[in-house]
Amino acid sequence: MLMGTAINGATSISFSITTVLTLLLFIPINGQDQFTIIEATIDEIQTAFDQNKLTSTQLVEFYITQIETLNPRLRSVIEVNPDARSQAEKADLERKRNQGRRFLGELHGIPVLLKDTFATKDKLNTSAGSYALVGSVVPRDATVVERLRDAGAVILGKASLTEWYSFRALGKIPNGWCARAGQAKAISVNKTSYGGGTRVPSSEFCRNPKMCTTTQLVSTGLSECSVVMLWTCAVAAAFFLTLWDAIDVLFYKIKSLELYWVDSRTNLTYANGRLPLVGCTTSAFDAKNLHTSGLNAEVVCPTSGSLPFGVLSLNKSNNSFHDHSLNFVVLLKSWDPCGSSSGSAISVAANMVTVSLGSETHGSILCPADRNSVVGLKPTVGLTSRAGVIPVLPQHDTIGAISRTVSDAVYLLDVIVGFDSRDYEATSEAARYIPVGGYKQFLNENGLKGKRLGVVRNLFSNALNGSTVITAFENHLNTLRQSGATIVDDLEMANVDVISNPGKSGELTAMLAGFKIALNEYLQELVSSPVRSLADVIAFNQNNADMEKTKEYGQGTFISAEKTSGFGEKERKAVELMEKLSRDGIEKLMTENELDALVTPGTRVISVLALGGYPGITVPAGYEGNQMPFGICFGGLKGTEPKLIEIAYAFEQATMIRRPPFGTPFWIDER
């Protein structure tokens, strides 16, 4: 049975314009000056806590509402933790009792989503996205989860992923798909422009609370002026096209949109009916006045071009509204979210949580972060404990942070790093890299000064030749130079073609044998489980083909792994080959050129970093012509996280490229 609160299309409310509204509006808290939860950083949230503008409970309620609203379409969350509210209440009580006497830590009271491979000894499942492990009982929290709890973080739930890290059937299972959640979707805004003012004094819309009560736009009991103001913004937001209107956009047709507003006291969202909107064509200028609840609105489509253009006019009605208009052009798109930590990245990007944890064996943090315009930090293997996390290949597995800013990723890293006796060999080796005082000391805006960054063109030139990514990358190289870095360009790495091919590098050979061994050990340690071995999982998939879509996607990689018989001579040679490729490749190149880091556009360095267990961090770097996000990745040798953080943070602060997936927040001034 499902122990947590399952979140999917069958059990949650339907998607609507609430998505856009919730992502656009500020949240007035406790009658104080405005505070915006959307895109808020950990520092900003902690300041709001200290100033009594926000509580952990309110923050958790906001994110749960976001998940209930967005997740039926995005499918990036598998379960919400039924204990999240009580954990938030506990954090609020601790903060109240503390009264500022001591610093409780950056993550205290902060909601965190976990990839659904991190063991939690609570009411949540740990299933790798598969029904095979639903109902299994773990012996204890994963070590990184223990450390999050000790830091006062709120475990909000489990994020979806590419089922079994895609290792069930490499190349067959779509990125972001798992049986329990379905297909996760990445989203981004194509283009947004606002006409007229975007800051609207509340007094211009509502001068008398009684007027708010009597207007037909407000339900019984919602009498605050802010409700009407927020509803007004909801009308404006209603002209944003959702991702799932994309097929209609092709024909310039919009069927209907639901209008919503937010009660500022509770952050709850309320509906007020539907507006039928006129269909628009490419050959005619269609317009029609719509009348509902005393509101006049025009929907105007262009005579040419590829995007609908909406004009909203709010006219006086019941003395509640003053004239105002907004113009905007927007289109939400979707594409491959990459994997396997797809749900962790999508949820952070869509403001369904503050930060999340992911895991990486080969690109599973860096690639989804890149595709969803968020920050992904992949630590040196062993810097963070893997104990209690469903494994792939222990020699390569690592646990890292996904966030909207570099600083948030670093705060998360500081909490989860360190030696763990349950992951003795890897963490004892990597513990020597952890700096005294932690990693946040390296959040330095001048961190690029004096750094030497290498550009290895043969990693990406062929694949990205002529693309807008290359143009943006060249501009970013200039930014790096202007910020004090030396760019060592046109470098070549030996054996790039071999390194980039898991079948040739030895990586796949090691994975097949290593996965079977490590997974069987994990399953045997469970207190109870429907499956106890890889063979059991294969049988489960065969017996539940409809539920697991076994006929569609297969389980060829699982079957190949099951045929292995331990780590023999072939596997040892594969490991030796990977070590040699790393020595002759990235290690030689960085040593000979005295580099602090490599810098590449997108994710082309992932294979290089995977083979040797090296760290990397990706930062939002732009949007392609179709508005698919891409990042810039900084990678280095083992233990170079301090340098990478300095570089990434300085680049982020110099560029600030990331934007919310639903456009610029629309502010109402309550003062």
Side-chain angles (χ1 to χ4, degrees):
M1 65 178 179
L2 299 183
M3 294 182 286
T5 305
I7 300 293
N8 53 52
T11 60
S12 301
I13 63 176
S14 61
F15 180 88
S16 65
I17 203 64
T18 314
T19 302
V20 182
L21 173 63
T22 308
L23 289 171
L24 286 177
L25 300 179
F26 79 100
I27 305 299
I29 300 294
N30 297 335
Q32 304 292 323
D33 291 342
Q34 62 194 22
F35 173 74
T36 307
I37 293 178
I38 296 304
E39 295 291 294
T41 65
I42 289 175
D43 283 334
E44 291 167 344
I45 291 171
Q46 291 295 349
T47 298
F49 286 162
D50 292 342
Q51 296 176 351
N52 295 319
K53 292 183 179 181
L54 181 68
T55 66
S56 296
T57 301
Q58 289 170 322
L59 187 60
V60 165
E61 291 290 353
F62 176 84
Y63 286 138
I64 290 176
T65 299
Q66 287 287 87
I67 292 169
E68 289 175 341
T69 303
L70 292 163
N71 202 64
R73 298 293 184 168
L74 299 186
R75 297 184 180 273
S76 59
V77 178
I78 290 183
E79 294 181 24
V80 169
N81 187 0
D83 295 329
R85 290 180 175 91
S86 62
Q87 291 178 18
E89 291 169 358
K90 178 184 176 184
D92 289 334
L93 182 60
E94 290 173 346
R95 193 180 307 110
K96 183 177 180 180
R97 289 175 175 172
N98 182 58
Q99 295 183 337
R101 286 189 293 269
R102 64 182 180 88
F103 180 54
L104 297 175
E106 281 87 3
L107 289 191
H108 187 270
I110 299 294
V112 181
L113 271 176
L114 308 173
K115 188 174 183 176
D116 185 36
T117 52
F118 291 72
T120 52
K121 188 66 172 175
D122 53 17
K123 298 172 185 176
L124 293 167
N125 283 286
T126 305
S127 70
S130 169
Y131 285 108
L133 279 174
V134 171
S136 62
V137 179
V138 300
R140 62 186 70 85
D141 281 340
T143 298
V144 291
V145 176
E146 289 178 353
R147 290 173 177 171
L148 287 174
R149 294 194 200 275
D150 290 344
V154 175
I155 306 303
L156 187 62
K158 295 290 181 76
S160 66
L161 70 156
T162 312
E163 186 175 307
W164 290 109
Y165 304 112
S166 190
F167 206 69
R168 192 184 100 182
L170 289 172
K172 301 291 185 182
I173 294 182
N175 284 328
W177 180 88
C178 66
R180 292 191 61 208
Q183 180 62 58
K185 298 174 182 177
I187 55 175
S188 179
V189 169
N190 186 299
K191 182 180 180 182
T192 305
S193 63
Y194 293 96
T198 56
R199 291 189 69 86
V200 185
S202 60
S203 59
E204 292 299 311
F205 286 97
C206 183
R207 298 179 182 276
N208 188 330
K210 188 175 180 180
M211 293 180 184
C212 293
T213 304
T214 57
T215 182
Q216 299 175 26
L217 297 180
V218 181
S219 296
T220 304
L222 301 179
S223 60
E224 291 188 2
C225 290
S226 60
V227 176
V228 172
M229 265 77 75
L230 291 175
W231 195 91
T232 302
C233 291
V235 177
F239 289 87
F240 278 78
L241 302 179
T242 68
L243 162 65
W244 302 275
D245 291 319
I247 188 67
D248 290 333
V249 169
L250 295 176
F251 303 98
Y252 289 89
K253 294 178 181 178
I254 309 173
K255 295 179 180 178
S256 64
L257 292 172
E258 295 182 21
L259 301 186
Y260 288 76
W261 70 87
V262 173
D263 180 355
S264 64
R265 297 164 296 176
T266 63
N267 295 343
L268 296 179
T269 305
Y270 298 86
N272 196 64
R274 299 175 67 88
L275 288 180
L277 302 181
V278 63
C280 304
T281 68
T282 57
S283 58
F285 186 92
D286 296 329
K288 183 178 180 180
N289 287 330
L290 305 170
H291 301 275
T292 179
S293 302
L295 176 71
N296 296 327
E298 283 189 341
V299 180
V300 181
C301 292
T303 56
S304 63
S306 60
L307 292 174
F309 184 75
V311 178
L312 173 66
S313 297
L314 302 180
N315 299 317
K316 291 181 179 180
S317 174
N318 297 332
N319 297 318
S320 296
F321 296 112
H322 284 202
D323 294 338
H324 187 65
S325 65
L326 286 171
N327 303 330
F328 41 83
V329 180
V330 68
L331 174 63
L332 301 181
K333 291 188 175 183
S334 69
W335 40 74
D336 180 354
C338 208
S340 62
S341 301
S342 45
S344 299
I346 294 167
S347 299
V348 169
N351 284 274
M352 295 158 76
V353 71
T354 310
V355 291
S356 66
L357 274 188
S359 64
E360 174 155 334
T361 306
H362 186 115
S364 293
I365 291 174
L366 296 177
C367 191
D370 175 274
R371 294 287 179 87
N372 289 279
S373 195
V374 290
V375 173
L377 200 169
K378 176 209 174 189
T380 300
V381 170
L383 203 65
T384 53
S385 172
R386 292 83 48 84
V389 180
I390 296 174
V392 180
L393 180 63
Q395 293 94 324
H396 291 180
D397 294 346
T398 187
I399 310 304
I402 296 177
S403 60
R404 290 181 291 272
T405 65
V406 174
S407 60
D408 285 359
V410 171
Y411 293 151
L412 194 50
L413 180 68
D414 266 333
V415 167
I416 63 175
V417 297
F419 170 75
D420 177 21
S421 60
R422 293 169 53 205
D423 190 7
Y424 183 88
E425 184 176 352
T427 59
S428 61
E429 171 67 20
R432 61 193 173 99
Y433 298 131
I434 302 174
V436 176
Y439 291 98
K440 66 182 179 181
Q441 62 185 300
F442 301 105
L443 295 171
N444 178 10
E445 290 188 9
N446 297 315
L448 280 162
K449 289 185 177 179
K451 296 295 192 299
R452 289 175 58 84
L453 308 180
V455 180
V456 182
R457 297 278 172 176
N458 63 337
L459 274 174
F460 58 83
S461 57
N462 291 335
L464 298 177
N465 187 35
S467 72
T468 56
V469 175
I470 288 295
T471 302
F473 180 66
E474 298 300 338
N475 291 332
H476 290 326
L477 291 182
N478 288 331
T479 298
L480 295 170
R481 292 186 185 99
Q482 292 166 6
S483 299
T486 298
I487 304 299
V488 186
D489 207 343
D490 294 319
L491 297 174
E492 289 194 4
M493 186 179 295
N495 303 307
V496 162
D497 292 341
V498 178
I499 291 171
S500 300
N501 187 331
K504 294 181 179 180
S505 68
E507 188 178 20
L508 182 58
T509 298
M511 277 186 177
L512 290 172
F515 176 75
K516 178 182 177 180
I517 295 169
L519 179 65
N520 286 348
E521 289 177 354
Y522 173 87
L523 295 176
Q524 287 296 321
E525 290 179 355
L526 296 176
V527 175
S528 63
S529 175
V531 292
R532 289 292 187 178
S533 66
L534 175 57
D536 289 347
V537 177
I538 292 171
F540 179 92
N541 292 337
Q542 291 172 338
N543 295 332
N544 297 275
D546 291 341
M547 194 160 54
E548 288 288 337
K549 290 195 174 183
T550 311
K551 292 180 181 179
E552 291 91 332
Y553 302 139
Q555 52 181 339
T557 311
F558 269 9
I559 292 171
S560 295
E562 178 58 25
K563 291 178 180 178
T564 64
S565 54
F567 233 74
E569 184 64 22
K570 181 174 68 171
E571 288 75 22
R572 284 191 289 272
K573 287 184 178 180
V575 171
E576 290 172 359
L577 175 58
M578 287 188 286
E579 291 174 348
K580 185 177 188 303
L581 289 170
S582 294
R583 285 195 306 271
D584 296 344
I586 183 174
E587 292 184 7
K588 181 178 179 181
L589 181 119
M590 292 194 67
T591 301
E592 290 183 350
N593 292 280
E594 299 179 330
L595 301 177
D596 294 296
L598 298 182
V599 54
T600 60
T603 59
R604 300 294 167 176
V605 75
I606 280 175
S607 295
V608 175
L609 302 180
L611 289 195
Y614 304 115
I617 183 168
T618 182
V619 181
Y623 299 83
E624 296 187 47
N626 64 356
Q627 293 303 298
M628 186 176 86
F630 63 88
I632 188 169
C633 188
F634 304 100
L637 300 180
K638 291 181 180 181
T640 58
E641 280 82 358
K643 290 181 180 180
L644 298 181
I645 290 167
E646 285 188 320
I647 293 165
Y649 183 74
F651 171 80
E652 176 194 57
Q653 296 303 303
T655 56
M656 301 297 287
I657 287 171
R658 171 181 158 75
R659 63 178 185 258
F662 294 95
T664 305
F666 186 96
W667 294 84
I668 296 284
D669 192 345
E670 286 287 290
R671 290 171 292 181

